[in-house]
Amino acid sequence: MNLRNTAAAPAFVELKGITKQFGKVLANDSVSMTIGSGKIVALLGENGAGKSTLMQILYGLYQADAGEIRVAGKPVRITHPGDAIALGIGMVHQEFMLVQPMTVVENVILGLKETRSGRLDLHSAAKRLQAISDRHGLAVDPWARVEHLPIGVQQRVEILKLLYRDAKVLILDEPTAVLTPREKEGLFATLASLRADGRSIVIVTHKLYEIMAIADSVSVMRSGKMVESVAVAATSEADLARRMVGRDVLLRVEKPQQVPGDEVLHIDNIAMRDSAGNQKIWRVSLKVRAGEILGIAGVDGNGQSELADALLNLRPIEAGRIRLSGVDISDYSPAQRRAAGIGFIPADRRGVGSIVSMSIADNAILGAQRQYTHKGGWFLSLQAIAAKAKDIVKHFNVVTPDLDFEAGKLSGGNLQKLILGREVMRAPKLLVVEQPTRGLDVGAVEAVWQGLLEARQQGCAIVMISAELEEIMNLSDRIAVMYSGQIAGVLDTREATVEQIGELMAGGKLPVRQEVA
């Protein structure tokens, strides 16, 4: 199926010479971009390239220091989102802006006056909303409560909010980050329908294969500047990665064949509740061997994060046992588990994985400070700390001015490489990794993947929790899919298909209990 519109289209939105500076950081440096009517444009760039800032200026969240925005050929001034919406420009953020207890129709008309008297007619609004939903195949019940809707449907509600306001340009920030493969297909079909309706779509994304599947053209940014725009038909994933990073990038990794060693981790029928008493994990059983990567797939919110918490004892389990190399560690504290050989790379690299106000050198020894004291004393050895930090920076190519540089000032990719290096170079028996490349550009993704495979080759058992299906299939030896707090199924990566994983992620199969050999 050809998803693209190859015909030329007049520009609906033009950004000319947009400049925006935050203190000493020049986020946008005289950036120009054209958005054609009835076109899907992908905006691509490394972390910190300036693409989000540019779109936030177009949507009115920021104001440019210099430059001009034209809509339908006329210069406009957009000082807040209300101005953008009035001009037909809307934005779907990565974190949805929905009121969970309210119905779909209540969310959609929130902030609008349906009549001159200011009184809202929900039934008329629901009727119009249903017509829009049917026209674009969105399949959303106007009277459903948002809190009961799957993530993919909630995203459709956000799109409906914009269509209800007759948006001509829709900006989507990382739109597939939390979707199952089937939901992604549904989103792409919706975008194709909107394009056929003459609407323009800008997708801010890191996922090159999705750009190739749906976009008409790609605008590439680097270091605050617009490098170039190119038709998708005239490029490839490898070419786009090269344009974005400025060098050749490995989009697939060569995973050496190896025979896994002895069993390292045995999770036996564990169960867990959250602080409100809700069941988050129910009878999960898994085994992982040395030199093996077990990928944990699933849509966010199906118990994956709680599984990581259970392995580190960041939240207590209420049933079952956890064994590390045959030793029952169920009652071990987090510190005791790390001392026993568990490493952890959390999803929140700034809030949990590092102390952003401290230096790179200090972050390099977090959790192992006692190993870097002067012999027989309590004082830290600055020389030993610097040597360790230097090893990590060199081996994992952490780009930084010096070792005293604040960790919080590193880009997301460099901070993740620092955390990865810290954990991997401790040679743990088990490494728990949660969302290792979320929000990272292709260059940083390549480095993180290579680091994880290096740990695998050294005999480390790895539990990798990721919402990125490409990452799961690229790195894992086996794939366990979680749905509603249970293991829906376990697949050998060599035989697994996207369709099989997608079915499990959507709850297609859900055994009461499954043990994995």
Side-chain angles (χ1 to χ4, degrees):
M1 181 175 63
N2 182 11
L3 296 173
R4 296 190 185 88
N5 177 5
T6 56
F12 182 70
V13 173
E14 295 174 276
L15 298 102
K16 296 186 173 183
I18 300 296
T19 297
K20 180 65 178 179
Q21 190 156 350
F22 298 98
K24 296 180 179 180
V25 178
L26 187 59
N28 288 159
D29 185 2
S30 192
V31 176
S32 296
M33 180 180 177
T34 299
I35 304 169
S37 297
K39 291 289 185 180
I40 298 178
V41 180
L43 185 56
L44 184 65
E46 294 184 90
N47 298 116
K51 54 190 186 299
S52 293
T53 300
L54 185 67
M55 289 300 99
Q56 288 167 343
I57 287 172
L58 178 58
Y59 187 55
L61 293 172
Y62 294 141
Q63 283 73 57
D65 299 327
E68 181 182 58
I69 299 175
R70 287 178 172 266
V71 176
K74 298 179 181 179
V76 297
R77 189 165 180 264
I78 303 176
T79 59
H80 56 79
D83 291 339
I85 292 169
L87 290 164
I89 301 169
M91 188 169 184
V92 177
H93 301 271
Q94 193 171 347
E95 299 291 335
F96 302 149
M97 308 293 182
L98 298 173
V99 182
Q100 294 292 318
M102 294 173 63
T103 64
V104 169
V105 66
E106 288 169 337
N107 268 277
V108 167
I109 66 174
L110 195 62
L112 295 179
K113 291 184 178 181
E114 288 295 304
T115 65
R116 292 181 180 178
S117 67
R119 300 180 66 181
L120 297 172
D121 184 348
L122 284 179
H123 288 279
S124 295
K127 186 176 180 180
R128 181 184 166 204
L129 191 61
Q130 189 69 64
I132 296 172
S133 176
D134 293 343
R135 178 175 181 178
H136 296 291
L138 291 166
V140 176
D141 176 7
W143 299 108
R145 291 196 179 277
V146 168
E147 62 189 346
H148 298 148
L149 298 177
I151 292 295
V153 180
Q154 291 190 34
Q155 185 183 65
R156 290 182 229 158
V157 176
E158 288 281 21
I159 293 173
L160 277 171
K161 284 169 62 177
L162 302 184
L163 297 179
Y164 194 87
R165 290 157 174 77
D166 198 27
K168 298 294 190 299
V169 177
L170 288 78
I171 304 166
L172 282 69
D173 185 11
E174 300 287 352
T176 63
V178 294
L179 303 184
T180 66
R182 190 175 300 172
E183 288 171 334
K184 289 178 186 178
E185 291 178 6
L187 173 64
F188 288 175
T190 297
L191 297 183
S193 173
L194 294 174
R195 175 174 53 193
D197 202 33
R199 301 180 197 271
S200 306
I201 298 138
V202 180
I203 301 176
V204 182
T205 181
H206 292 292
K207 300 175 183 177
L208 301 176
Y209 66 96
E210 292 179 359
I211 291 173
M212 299 302 298
I214 189 65
D216 298 301
S217 64
V218 188
S219 294
V220 183
M221 293 188 69
R222 193 190 308 156
S223 302
K225 296 182 179 181
M226 184 64 72
V227 178
E228 55 193 323
S229 294
V230 60
V232 166
T235 188
S236 65
E237 288 187 39
D239 180 52
L240 287 176
R242 190 183 307 113
R243 293 172 190 262
M244 179 174 66
V245 181
R247 61 175 177 83
D248 288 334
V249 178
L250 292 176
L251 301 177
R252 302 287 187 275
V253 290
E254 291 295 328
K255 186 172 63 179
Q257 293 294 324
Q258 65 180 29
V259 178
D262 296 336
E263 179 184 295
V264 173
L265 175 68
H266 184 180
I267 303 170
D268 185 15
N269 274 323
I270 65 169
M272 173 190 283
R273 295 180 186 271
D274 62 17
S275 56
N278 301 310
Q279 194 78 54
K280 304 302 291 186
I281 293 179
W282 177 245
R283 292 190 172 181
V284 166
S285 294
L286 292 167
K287 295 178 182 179
V288 190
R289 292 185 288 174
E292 178 185 40
I293 297 179
L294 176 67
I296 308 292
V299 178
D300 280 350
N302 278 277
Q304 303 97 306
S305 292
E306 288 78 11
L307 178 60
D309 289 347
L311 293 176
L312 272 297
N313 198 15
L314 301 179
R315 186 178 299 174
I317 58 175
E318 63 175 353
R321 311 302 294 174
I322 298 173
R323 294 179 178 85
L324 184 69
S325 297
V327 178
D328 190 337
I329 62 168
S330 306
D331 297 325
Y332 282 25
S333 69
Q336 288 173 323
R337 293 192 189 194
R338 286 184 66 82
I342 299 181
F344 183 38
I345 301 175
D348 184 358
R349 61 183 69 102
R350 296 191 183 275
V352 180
S354 64
I355 301 178
V356 293
S357 61
M358 293 173 62
S359 71
I360 287 172
D362 290 335
N363 274 274
I365 64 163
L366 280 182
Q369 293 92 325
R370 291 185 180 180
Q371 298 176 23
Y372 296 91
T373 59
H374 288 288
K375 191 174 182 179
W378 290 92
F379 295 101
L380 290 171
S381 169
L382 299 182
Q383 186 177 1
I385 294 170
K388 185 63 178 180
K390 187 176 180 180
D391 284 347
I392 293 173
V393 167
K394 181 179 179 180
H395 189 84
F396 290 88
N397 193 28
V398 180
V399 180
T400 176
D402 52 56
L403 300 180
D404 293 325
F405 193 68
E406 280 188 20
K409 293 181 179 178
L410 292 173
S411 69
N414 282 302
L415 182 57
Q416 188 72 340
K417 286 188 286 184
L418 173 65
I419 297 168
L420 173 71
R422 180 186 71 206
E423 298 301 309
V424 168
M425 292 186 76
R426 289 177 186 169
K429 295 178 183 178
L430 171 70
L431 181 61
V432 181
V433 190
E434 194 176 359
Q435 310 301 347
T437 60
R438 175 168 284 173
L440 303 188
D441 58 68
V442 290
V445 168
E446 177 191 33
V448 171
W449 283 1
Q450 294 289 3
L452 291 175
L453 288 178
E454 180 182 327
R456 170 183 176 267
Q457 288 303 106
Q458 293 171 356
C460 181
I462 300 174
V463 174
M464 183 183 70
I465 298 166
S466 177
E468 300 292 342
L469 196 50
E470 182 185 28
E471 182 167 72
I472 287 284
M473 297 192 74
N474 213 350
L475 296 184
S476 304
D477 297 292
R478 289 185 299 124
I479 302 169
V481 183
M482 291 195 72
Y483 176 78
S484 192
Q486 291 184 272
I487 302 299
V490 180
L491 304 169
D492 188 309
T493 306
R494 294 169 296 183
E495 302 170 355
T497 66
V498 171
E499 290 74 22
Q500 288 174 321
I501 297 171
E503 182 181 354
L504 293 171
M505 287 171 70
K509 299 176 184 177
L510 187 59
V512 174
R513 181 175 185 266
Q514 180 165 346
E515 291 187 347
V516 183

